[in-house]
Amino acid sequence: MTVRNVTPAARSSEPRQTLLKQAALAEALMDGLDVGIMACDEHGRLSLVNRVGRDLHGFDVGDTIEPGAMADSFVVYRPGSRERVPADELPLLRALNGEVVDGQEVVLAPPGRPRRLVSCTGRRIQDEDGAVLGAVIGLRDVTSQRAIEAVLSARAEREAPAGLPNRVLLDRRTDLRLGEDAGGSRSVALLFVDLDGFTSVNDTHGHAVGNHVLRQAARRLDDVVRATDTSARLGGDSFAVMCPDMPAGDPTHAERLATRIAGELGRPFYITGAAVQLSASIGIAHSRDEDLDAEELVARAEAAMLTAKQTGAGQIATYSPTATALVRRPPAAARIERLLRTAIEDGSLDVHYQPVVNLSSGATVGVEALARLTDDEGTAVAPTTFVQVAEQCGLVGALGEQVLRRAAIQVAQWKRQLLREQEFGLGVNLSVHQLSDPGLFTSVERALDEAALDPEALVLELTESVFSDIEQHTDVLRELQRLGLKLGIDDFGSGYSSLSYLRRFDVDILKVDQTFVADLDDKRDRQVTGAIVRMAHGLGMPVIAEGIETPQQLAALRELGCQLGQGNLLAPAASAATIGDLIARRRLIVS
Ligand code: C2E
Ligand code: MG
Ligand code: MG
């Protein structure tokens, strides 16, 4: 940082009043910041400390930071340890020594004040000729951010999949049975079960959800098999089932079991409200009367599974040394793709709306648009399922565009007809895939124009995964924000446990994931939710709690200072007609 020399001549030509005013303004500005600022002259004497800096440290202008006396005057620890930071590593002195300080974290423990974990950024200040004038550092209090992050990753750990026996046990039991059955009328069947598309669950929803799905998959597998069978987790998203008591020479028993397993794992996995649709590829190998060991049997079943997978997701194949035979082909994804294409093409995709409610007044302050798709029998397909299929087959842009256009027109109409143009928000979900679509900006702009909807009413909801790779998406997100619309983080806290992006990118609204609301009974989870609400409010973001189902949850959220919410208790998602009625009625109650 370079500071121009202010010459006495220049100073005297400036009216004193103006200078004083400028100084007062600068001081007010500095004190208004939520970052601590400390600057020192070339001797280490503090020349500037703003309000937050004083609060953090207890130091003020004029105090001298002498490297020698440093260790005594500043009680500064390394994060997570009892070790003091030596004088030459203190951020301000490092900066004074010419180092660039960028995100150095230290624990400040001034006597009589609470300990704070701060992240420091600093530079040396020099004049035009290179003479050192001093140094300046910014201190950001990251205590609660780090505490929340620690709890988020602990939650992810706690959700780690468990329960089923592992490979070692499977092999031991299989070898035992193979030995007993050799040459008899019974044989061992081994089913190698591999989830299709599981990686995208982790990518889209985060590891906590991924682990949750794995645990549910393990439980379903265990429920389907008989007590005498052994189901095991082979690692990652692969499972095995060993059936020791199959009639030798009759493969249909194992095939029927595989079909049941495929059916079970093909049902949506519900992650508190959201549904994840997967399928399983299954390979079957029979021991027959050959001299096989467990390892070889598992390898054969795996080979059959790979053949099944190559043919497409959700297939079953039985191993044979000559030609591995496919058992069946349930074209779930293909069917959904067809439904989706038709619905998008003829404009019959349905959009439902869920009210966003002010938790203290009960007023409906906006809605979230949620896409709906029904199959030929009139059964609803879970949105997470068809959104995932849409992402995989390149239809998610068209899906999102249609939902946005329809919803914008609907909300603009409600505003005109029912709300006397009062402020009213519209949340529309945006898949991360849409961010790479070069036509996104134009289609959002067009939807707003077409509906004559004020851009400020629109909140595009993005999941945290967008922010784990924020650099890649910064330009498009900023461009969208320039339209005047808002960006919200959906399902906050469900996946990515780093919060630093919240400061690097201007997000307007935070939607706390349903799992936090569901866990509010737990004291610790309640504290985390409270900390998240405070942190968001500190950053100027309103918080919407999702999935409020019970009066207890509602009361707890109110107590934690959360102002907005969605959930079946308040109002479930429903058709435009139903929500229109509700808005009309609530307007009378509230105003
Ligand atoms: P989301 O954006 O987090 O939407 C909230 C989900 O929570 C909705 O599920 C809603 O119906 C459900 N929900 C609301 N209140 C409660 C409650 O009290 N309890 C429980 N258990 N659930 C509640 P839905 O409609 O099944 O949608 C699931 C997800 O599918 C959405 O999660 C969103 O990620 C995605 N989705 C839906 N529509 C669209 C869309 O048009 N575009 C994109 N890209 N994604 C969409
Ligand atoms: Mg949403
Ligand atoms: Mg959500």
Side-chain angles (χ1 to χ4, degrees), residues 328-347:
R328 60 155 214 161
R329 187 171 181 272
R335 190 173 50 87
I336 292 168
E337 183 182 338
R338 183 181 52 75
L339 286 170
L340 209 52
R341 262 183 214 288
T342 318
I344 291 171
E345 273 161 23
D346 64 18

Side-chain angles (χ1 to χ4, degrees), residues 22 225 436 468:
Q22 280 177 353
V225 303
S436 327
S468 64

Side-chain angles (χ1 to χ4, degrees), residues 368 370 429 461 490-491 511 546:
E368 175 175 8
L370 295 159
N429 295 287
E461 299 187 2
D490 207 348
D491 307 338
K511 298 187 78 168
E546 294 191 86

Side-chain angles (χ1 to χ4, degrees), residues 272-273 354 368 370-372 383-384 387 399 403 429-431 434 461 490-491 514 546-549 567-568 573:
T272 38
Q354 181 169 42
E368 175 175 8
L370 295 159
R372 293 289 180 259
T384 37
V387 169
L399 168 85
V403 172
N429 295 287
L430 202 67
S431 151
Q434 289 177 262
E461 299 187 2
D490 207 348
D491 307 338
Q514 320 197 334
E546 294 191 86
I548 306 174
E549 289 180 343
N568 293 343

Side-chain angles (χ1 to χ4, degrees), residues 349-366:
L349 193 84
D350 218 355
V351 181
H352 276 195
Y353 299 88
Q354 181 169 42
V356 176
V357 174
N358 179 319
L359 298 185
S360 18
S361 70
T364 298
V365 298

Side-chain angles (χ1 to χ4, degrees), residues 359-388:
L359 298 185
S360 18
S361 70
T364 298
V365 298
V367 288
E368 175 175 8
L370 295 159
R372 293 289 180 259
L373 181 74
T374 40
D375 66 16
D376 302 330
E377 284 96 52
T379 315
V381 183
T384 37
T385 305
F386 67 76
V387 169
Q388 204 178 354

Side-chain angles (χ1 to χ4, degrees), residues 23-182:
L25 183 67
E27 195 176 323
L29 277 177
M30 293 275 190
D31 283 350
L33 294 176
D34 63 351
V35 180
I37 307 277
M38 298 173 79
C40 66
D41 63 17
E42 70 273 32
H43 307 294
R45 192 165 40 234
L46 288 180
S47 50
L48 184 152
V49 183
N50 74 343
R51 180 185 52 85
V52 174
R54 281 192 301 273
D55 287 350
L56 285 170
H57 255 309
F59 279 86
D60 211 339
V61 173
D63 288 331
T64 305
I65 307 176
E66 287 170 27
M70 199 57 119
D72 298 327
S73 48
F74 274 77
V75 189
V76 180
Y77 294 99
R78 293 190 199 282
S81 101
R82 288 163 177 263
E83 199 187 332
R84 281 202 177 176
V85 176
D88 58 353
E89 285 183 32
L90 287 169
L92 191 57
L93 291 186
R94 280 182 59 206
L96 193 59
N97 286 335
E99 284 181 64
V100 173
V101 180
D102 189 11
Q104 181 187 358
E105 290 192 1
V106 294
V107 176
L108 303 179
R113 281 169 197 270
R115 279 170 176 251
R116 309 306 298 173
L117 177 64
V118 294
S119 168
C120 308
T121 325
R123 299 281 185 284
R124 180 151 82 181
I125 309 170
Q126 288 166 285
D127 69 9
E128 283 167 330
D129 305 321
V132 176
L133 301 176
V136 61
I137 56 165
L139 309 120
R140 187 180 289 285
D141 187 342
V142 291
T143 317
S144 55
Q145 176 184 332
R146 293 285 178 268
I148 295 169
E149 284 173 349
V151 177
L152 292 181
S153 36
R155 274 172 72 97
E157 291 274 301
R158 198 171 64 193
E159 295 279 297
L164 290 187
N166 59 17
R167 174 74 192 253
V168 178
L169 196 65
L170 176 82
D171 281 4
R172 206 181 309 138
R173 288 193 192 163
T174 308
D175 276 334
L176 201 69
R177 290 306 304 211
L178 289 172
E180 285 172 7
D181 291 344

Side-chain angles (χ1 to χ4, degrees), residues 184-188 246-255 286-289:
S185 61
R186 315 302 284 174
S187 77
V188 175
M246 292 287 176
D250 179 3
T252 57
H253 282 78
E255 288 170 7
H286 294 278
S287 65
R288 304 269 154 71
D289 48 8

